[in-house]
C-alpha cells in the first residue's frame, strides 16, 4: 500500500524539510505556495499609518505519495525539522492511496512512484 502525506509548513522551514526528505531517499514531491490560517488567526500590521489585518498567512504545502514503509520516517523527519514549538508550525495529513499509475509507461503501484 501507499500513503499520501500532505504537510503544511512555514516557508522558512521548507529548504531544511526538503533536504532531510531527500536524505531519506524521497525524491518525488509536489510543492505549492499556499495561504491560510489555523489557530493563529493571522496578525495586525501597520502600513503608512493605517492598521490592517493579515489573516491568511503564507505557508508551503508539500504533497508526497510514499510506500508505507517510508511514512513513519518521513513524518518524524518533518516533525523534527519543521517544528519551532510555536503556533503556526503547520500540520501533517495522511491518507491511504489505492493505486498509482505512471502515465509515461502505465506502470502501476509502488514502482510508479
Amino acid at each position: 500500500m501507499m500513503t499520501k502525506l500532505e504537510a503544511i509548513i512555514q516557508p522558512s522551514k521548507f529548504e531544511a524539510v526538503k533536504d532531510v526528505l531527500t536524505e531519506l531517499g524521497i525524491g518525488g514531491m509536489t510543492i505549492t505556495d499556499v495561504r491560510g490560517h489555523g489557530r493563529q488567526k493571522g496578525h495586525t500590521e501597520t502600513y503608512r499609518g493605517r492598521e490592517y489585518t493579515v489573516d491568511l498567512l503564507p505557508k508551503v504545502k508539500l504533497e508526497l505519495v510514499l510506500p508505507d514503509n517510508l511514512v513513519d520516517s518521513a513524518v518524524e523527519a518533518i516533525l523534527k525539522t519543521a517544528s519551532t514549538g510555536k503556533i503556526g508550525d503547520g500540520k501533517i495529513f495522511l491518507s491511504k492511496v489505492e493505486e498509482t499509475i505512471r502515465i509515461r509507461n502505465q506502470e502501476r503501484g509502488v514502482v510508479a512512484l
Side-chain angles (χ1 to χ4, degrees):
M1 284 296 289
M2 297 163 283
T3 300
K4 181 176 185 180
L5 183 154
E6 294 177 76
I8 310 294
I9 62 170
Q10 294 282 355
S12 61
K13 297 292 186 175
F14 167 66
E15 286 297 327
V17 170
K18 182 184 74 158
D19 291 345
V20 76
L21 291 174
T22 301
E23 288 174 18
L24 287 174
I26 299 168
M29 62 183 85
T30 301
I31 310 304
T32 310
D33 290 319
V34 296
R35 294 172 14 128
H37 73 79
R39 289 186 179 162
Q40 73 191 115
K41 303 282 192 236
H43 60 276
T44 304
E45 290 186 6
T46 304
Y47 179 72
R48 294 191 177 182
R50 292 187 178 239
E51 197 172 272
Y52 65 98
T53 302
V54 178
D55 58 353
L56 296 175
L57 302 172
K59 304 287 183 180
V60 174
K61 180 179 182 181
L62 291 81
E63 295 178 81
L64 306 90
V65 177
L66 305 167
D68 285 344
N69 64 327
L70 287 178
V71 173
D72 289 339
S73 56
V75 168
E76 288 303 316
I78 294 169
L79 289 173
K80 181 178 175 186
T81 309
S83 177
T84 66
K86 298 179 182 170
I87 291 176
D89 278 349
K91 296 227 175 5
I92 298 173
F93 304 96
L94 301 172
S95 53
K96 290 296 177 190
V97 174
E98 290 185 31
E99 183 70 277
T100 300
I101 304 166
R102 178 175 285 133
I103 294 173
R104 176 175 47 90
N105 58 9
Q106 294 83 46
E107 287 180 322
R108 292 176 175 261
V110 175
V111 295
L113 297 176

